[in-house]
């Protein structure tokens, strides 16, 4: 979680650096405060899938980041982080598991 917006090249460079450690998965969370940064996260996920051999979970937090939690896994991201039941200590940015399941099931019907 670098805690700031990053462009595609910065994220890919970070992922390639982390890949040298031979992890099972690479998780990167940047920030998307506006629509442009959100769209950059989609572009980044597409490029990560092509340029990084290790499985990558990549999404953005921030005001405009929620959609990346659904779209980026559809673009090749390794997993979706969800909340089964919201509690006081839950991350409000994480999506509800039932909602995500419904979205994924509906998207599969389109293919």
């Amino acid at each position: 979680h670098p805690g700031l917006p990053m462009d595609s090249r910065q994220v890919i460079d970070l992922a390639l650096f982390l890949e040298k450690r031979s992890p099972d998965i690479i998780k990167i969370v940047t920030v998307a405060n506006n629509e442009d940064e959100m769209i950059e996260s989609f572009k980044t996920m597409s490029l990560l899938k092509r340029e990084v051999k290790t499985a990558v979970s990549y999404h953005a937090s921030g005001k405009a980041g929620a959609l990346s939690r659904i779209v980026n896994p559809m673009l090749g991201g390794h997993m979706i982080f969800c909340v089964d039941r919201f509690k006081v200590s839950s991350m409000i940015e994480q999506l509800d598991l039932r909602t995500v399941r419904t979205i994924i099931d509906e998207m599969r019907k389109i293919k």
Side-chain angles (χ1 to χ4, degrees), residues 1 26 32 53-54 69 98 101 107:
H1 294 253
I26 296 169
K53 292 176 180 53
T54 305
R69 291 177 176 269
R98 276 194 199 116
R101 179 61 193 247
M107 291 302 295

Side-chain angles (χ1 to χ4, degrees), residues 41-59:
S41 83
F42 302 155
K43 173 185 166 189
T44 300
M45 185 65 245
S46 180
L47 292 169
L48 283 167
K49 184 177 176 183
R50 284 186 253 158
E51 295 188 32
V52 179
K53 292 176 180 53
T54 305
V56 176
S57 175
Y58 170 66
H59 64 271

Side-chain angles (χ1 to χ4, degrees), residues 1 12-28 52-55:
H1 294 253
I12 291 165
D13 288 346
L14 176 58
L16 292 171
F17 171 78
L18 295 171
E19 189 170 48
K20 292 177 185 176
R21 299 177 181 182
S22 301
D24 294 327
I25 182 171
I26 296 169
K27 178 186 175 209
I28 300 173
V52 179
K53 292 176 180 53
T54 305

Side-chain angles (χ1 to χ4, degrees), residues 32 38 42 59-71 93 95:
M38 176 188 64
F42 302 155
H59 64 271
S61 61
K63 291 192 304 188
L67 193 55
S68 73
R69 291 177 176 269
I70 293 290
V71 173
E93 289 181 333
L95 304 171

